[in-house]
Amino acid sequence: MSNWDYLPDYPLNSDLVKRLKCALDAKDEERMRDLICTEVTPVDAVIELANDDWMKDPSAQLPPGMLLGLWTLEYKRELTTPLCIAAAHGHAACVRHLLGRGADPDASPGGRGALHEACLGGHTACARLLLQHRADPDLLSAEGLAPLHLCRSAASLGCAQALLEHGASVQRAGGTGLDTPLHVAAQHGLDEHVRLYLGRGAPVNARNSRRETALSAACGAARRPEEQGRCLRLCALLLRGGAAADTRDEDERSALHKACGHASHNLVQLLLRHGADAGALDYGGASPLARALQTAACASQAAPQRTVQALLNHGSPTVWPDAFPKVLKTCASVPAVIEVLFNSYPQLCVSESWKEVIPEEVFQMYKPFYQSLFALARTPRCLQHLCRCTLRRLFGKRCFDLVPLLPLPKPLQNYLLLEPEGVLH
């Protein structure tokens, strides 16, 4: 049922709604509890908290942003119930009081039920009370989302546990994106939720509408540097749980493409160790190496040279030689990336014209490296480098595994694995 089919018991302009909105705006929890527990009747009354249907008031002065919305023909109306308000704000005593008076735990005039609201806010005590009063653990919102799909924060772990204890389906795909609860947890970096869902039999390789698995969704979600450790643990959990490391989404992008786009070298190494293809091409013809190079300058604090190094040590094709000046222009401010990539070629013809693509201030900042690069315009690479390239060609995709087995000193092993030194020889 659409929320336009409901007649609110307390419309937007009613005295009670005005007082309730004042209490909510002031975060006056005691006053809010008094209003919804003692003044609202019946117990499942429909309350209208917002309505932007400007057509009801032709004289209304509309902001420009609202006028842009005319073309969408979408007008929002926020309807709710006392129980939904109490659950959304985590007032367990109020939820208990309303349920004791016979409130319907599944009423959802606004499109979401009280259980959805409790899960969205991470209010475990409220969720448990609702479930004990026979709230449907798989109730779908107007958007087609079950309560488990709204467990999107670390605080909602208890809600997720309660839902599963009461029979919620961990396999249900919901919303327009057809995400499973595992997808949602992966997208939000919730490693404990992932552990919980996998323990309850969540299908680890289920696809959403974009053909993403949970692993792909986790690698594609933008992560701040401080969140990457949790993302790494989450992806390790998924891989141990049987996630395929090299599945592709609707654009043929793999989890490795996405990890490279975030310059998360530890995650890149994890995926490569589990069989991700370093040479995979997406529909646009981009390889994981291309993604790493495109974002290197924006992620210099994340040591993007480690991502490039890992890819090359797992058999990634290098960049076409004629495209190297474009890479130099893009990555000039991250010379370690240039060094690692340059050392993957047995011989690359250096041109003095390349200096034109390097900003002068960048050249001066990294002068020793760039002087060593342009010195090679007049000389062949050293014999040691040519031996390195020969061994790397023989080992191919297994460089990362085989080089450490060679009876060589650690510095020489590092040299074979393209460890940057700061200058070229």
Side-chain angles (χ1 to χ4, degrees):
M1 182 183 291
S2 164
N3 67 4
W4 289 101
D5 296 325
Y6 286 94
L7 263 181
D9 298 284
Y10 295 92
L12 189 65
N13 59 358
S14 65
D15 177 66
L16 182 134
V17 170
K18 290 177 182 177
R19 287 185 288 144
L20 181 58
K21 287 173 72 72
C22 286
L24 290 170
D25 291 342
K27 298 184 178 179
D28 185 344
E29 297 185 1
E30 184 176 352
R31 181 60 179 150
M32 184 194 72
R33 286 196 299 269
D34 287 344
L35 285 170
I36 63 176
C37 290
T38 64
E39 293 196 35
V40 176
T41 56
V43 71
D44 284 326
V46 177
I47 301 170
E48 184 178 23
L49 283 183
N51 183 347
D52 67 358
D53 189 355
W54 61 276
M55 296 181 75
K56 288 186 177 180
D57 183 5
S59 65
Q61 297 296 310
L62 302 176
M66 180 71 77
L67 292 173
L68 291 175
L70 299 183
W71 300 106
T72 68
L73 299 182
E74 294 178 359
Y75 309 110
K76 296 179 183 177
R77 191 186 195 200
E78 184 183 345
L79 300 181
T80 188
T81 65
L83 189 61
C84 286
I85 294 173
H89 289 82
H91 297 311
C94 200
V95 169
R96 185 181 292 107
H97 172 80
L98 293 167
L99 290 169
R101 289 176 56 201
D104 179 0
D106 291 335
S108 53
R112 289 202 302 247
L115 193 53
H116 290 100
E117 301 291 358
C119 291
L120 192 58
H123 303 306
T124 302
C126 292
R128 288 195 176 277
L129 279 169
L130 291 161
L131 290 164
Q132 288 162 11
H133 283 77
R134 301 186 181 281
D136 182 355
D138 283 325
L139 179 71
L140 295 182
S141 70
E143 297 174 322
L145 300 174
L148 266 182
H149 293 117
L150 297 182
C151 293
R152 299 171 177 172
S153 66
S156 69
L157 180 62
C159 296
Q161 291 170 328
L163 287 165
L164 292 172
E165 288 167 10
H166 285 80
S169 172
V170 77
Q171 300 185 21
R172 184 182 296 276
T176 56
L178 297 180
D179 289 322
T180 66
L182 192 64
H183 282 99
V184 174
Q187 289 160 1
H188 289 84
L190 304 175
D191 51 329
E192 289 302 321
H193 287 65
V194 166
R195 191 188 308 276
L196 173 66
Y197 298 156
L198 290 176
R200 294 299 184 111
V204 71
N205 287 312
R207 306 284 190 124
N208 63 16
S209 64
R210 298 172 299 282
R211 303 289 299 158
E212 294 176 310
T213 63
L215 179 66
S216 178
C219 293
R223 303 280 180 222
R224 294 190 297 271
E226 62 272 21
E227 294 176 332
Q228 289 191 359
R230 180 183 297 173
C231 181
L232 184 66
R233 293 194 300 273
L234 187 156
C235 290
L237 274 173
L238 290 168
L239 289 163
R240 287 199 299 271
D246 206 41
T247 55
R248 314 294 172 84
D249 65 14
E250 62 184 1
D251 295 317
E252 285 296 311
R253 290 194 182 95
S254 65
L256 186 60
H257 279 97
K258 297 173 182 180
C260 288
H262 294 310
S264 179
H265 63 89
N266 288 324
L267 181 53
V268 166
Q269 289 172 342
L270 176 70
L271 292 168
L272 290 168
R273 286 200 303 271
H274 281 82
D277 182 2
L281 299 180
D282 65 17
Y283 270 141
S287 67
L289 179 61
R291 294 286 294 130
L293 294 173
Q294 287 165 4
T295 59
C298 301
S300 57
Q301 298 303 312
Q305 68 272 14
R306 298 298 179 199
T307 298
V308 174
Q309 188 180 3
L311 290 167
L312 292 170
N313 286 331
H314 283 84
S316 169
T318 192
V319 175
W320 182 250
D322 288 347
F324 195 85
K326 183 183 292 187
V327 176
L328 185 60
K329 180 178 181 179
T330 302
C331 301
S333 61
V334 197
V337 168
I338 302 297
E339 180 184 353
V340 170
L341 185 62
F342 190 85
N343 280 334
S344 66
Y345 300 88
Q347 184 74 39
L348 195 59
C349 185
V350 178
S351 170
E352 291 286 345
S353 65
W354 290 1
K355 289 181 180 179
E356 297 172 8
V357 304
I358 305 171
E360 180 61 26
E361 64 274 15
V362 172
F363 186 94
Q364 293 301 324
M365 187 178 301
Y366 303 107
K367 193 171 183 178
F369 171 76
Y370 283 115
Q371 284 181 330
S372 71
L373 171 64
F374 290 108
L376 294 176
R378 300 177 295 276
T379 182
R381 298 301 303 268
C382 66
L383 182 59
Q384 181 172 288
H385 170 72
L386 297 177
C387 291
R388 166 169 62 183
C389 290
T390 300
L391 277 173
R392 289 180 58 81
R393 186 173 62 254
L394 288 172
F395 290 164
K397 294 181 179 181
R398 300 195 63 197
C399 275
F400 185 83
D401 297 315
L402 296 180
V403 167
L405 301 179
L406 295 175
L408 296 172
K410 186 65 175 176
L412 198 49
Q413 290 181 359
N414 290 340
Y415 179 80
L416 291 173
L417 291 172
L418 304 178
E419 186 70 18
E421 301 174 4
V423 293
L424 293 164
H425 302 288

